[in-house]
Amino acid sequence: MGLSDRSKKQREPFTEAALFEYATASLGRRAQTVAELKRKLRTRVEGGETGEQKIDAVVRKLKEYGFLNDASFAADYARLRQENNKFGRRRVQQGLMQKGVHPELVASTLDSTYENVNEEQLARAYIDRKRMKQPKDKKEAARTVRRLIAAGFTPPTVFKVLRKWIPDEESLEGLDPTEQAT
């Protein structure tokens, strides 16, 4: 492979119009946050101030048209993750933060999405959705605890659910040192 072959692989930077088309097509495939879209657009423009100006102009235009709105994205994302996936608040928070949603917007979105949600009932719904079996021993109980915590439920909620689910206290002993004091 010669030098001329390598230069063919490098793309020409997009014009602002081409960048706008690329962005709308990308948003048509999947809703995205401003931060996600900007990351994607940076691969299509030249580096430096010129590229950033193009990206800012495209993002501004997309916001004007209503195609890009972090607040509605965050609300939809949180609602769908809670209703469909039965995820706890912490898991949804992590997802929104990874997608580049501003922390204040994440907090307000989660407050409104989870305000009337009983976390214990949501954890039970998650267990049903995942068809998790009742743990038979300490090892299975520990696995269940890890799965529920990974799904975004707080340790106190996880142990409340497990205490009602597992009548055998010996299976739960030693799993959470903070709960033994209560």
Side-chain angles (χ1 to χ4, degrees), residues 6-121:
R6 265 190 239 148
S7 62
K8 287 180 187 175
K9 286 186 179 181
Q10 288 182 340
R11 298 182 203 145
E12 284 292 314
F14 280 18
T15 63
E16 190 176 316
L19 195 62
F20 182 79
E21 283 183 39
Y22 175 76
T24 54
S26 180
L27 288 170
R29 287 187 294 277
R30 184 178 70 80
Q32 297 168 60
T33 63
V34 173
E36 286 178 305
L37 187 63
K38 280 185 172 184
R39 266 190 300 254
K40 196 174 274 189
L41 296 179
R42 280 192 188 99
T43 65
R44 304 294 180 177
V45 295
E46 60 273 12
E49 190 64 32
T50 309
E52 287 300 317
Q53 287 174 348
K54 285 181 187 178
I55 291 170
D56 290 342
V58 167
V59 167
R60 196 171 30 258
K61 200 182 296 185
L62 289 168
K63 284 181 176 181
E64 286 172 16
Y65 291 147
F67 295 155
L68 193 60
N69 183 336
D70 276 2
S72 66
F73 174 88
D76 289 342
Y77 180 89
R79 182 182 52 79
L80 291 171
R81 299 295 260 187
Q82 182 223 334
E83 290 174 5
N84 296 345
N85 297 81
K86 310 297 184 213
F87 283 152
R89 182 183 177 110
R90 284 186 21 244
R91 174 76 179 263
V92 176
Q93 177 185 14
Q94 290 169 343
L96 287 170
M97 296 297 279
Q98 285 175 341
K99 293 190 174 293
V101 177
H102 194 274
E104 290 172 8
L105 181 56
V106 170
S108 64
T109 300
L110 291 175
D111 287 345
S112 63
T113 303
Y114 284 88
E115 72 181 330
N116 296 321
V117 174
N118 179 327
E119 193 177 32
E120 193 174 329
Q121 288 176 344

